[in-house]
Amino acid sequence: IRSPLRYSIIMSSFVYGQLAAWSWAIGLVLPLVPVILISQLNYCGSNVVDHFFCDILPLLRLVCNRTQLNEMLSFFICTFILVGSFTLTMISYAAILITVLGIPSSKGR
């Protein structure tokens, strides 16, 4: 949007591949640590999760041990994902707004 004439040069198929690869890698690695930690916990009582999908909180309710570390780690990972996504989106919108406001005439806008 900021450089429409250079878009095809900037966004090559290599860049598309890198963006897709990083998205997949981050999406696979970030949840891996909590999954490994949760799989090491001792479960007691009923092993039935009364939910349509398997979420972390219902699993942690089935654990006999303390789960503060797992809860804090899940909270920080979720916060990192949310704040990171929001920040990247806001930076993108700010760059577009700066470009539009930098156009000299109101007719060009």
Side-chain angles (χ1 to χ4, degrees), residues 10-91:
I10 295 170
M11 293 301 294
S12 65
S13 59
F14 179 73
V15 174
Y16 286 139
Q18 280 189 329
L19 289 172
W22 277 108
S23 296
W24 277 84
I26 291 171
L28 289 172
V29 170
L30 279 180
L32 190 62
V33 174
V35 166
I36 291 171
L37 288 176
I38 288 174
S39 68
Q40 302 297 318
L41 295 173
N42 294 325
Y43 295 94
C44 59
S46 173
N47 59 354
V48 176
V49 178
D50 295 325
H51 289 275
F52 293 110
F53 58 93
C54 188
D55 197 17
I56 291 176
L57 189 58
L59 279 177
L60 291 178
R61 288 188 180 143
L62 299 174
V63 174
C64 298
N65 303 349
R66 295 175 43 192
T67 60
Q68 282 106 1
L69 175 66
N70 293 1
E71 291 173 9
M72 285 192 334
L73 183 64
S74 296
F75 174 76
F76 286 126
I77 288 175
C78 290
T79 303
F80 174 74
I81 291 171
L82 289 173
V83 170
S85 300
F86 179 76
T87 302
L88 287 174
T89 303
M90 288 298 112
I91 289 171

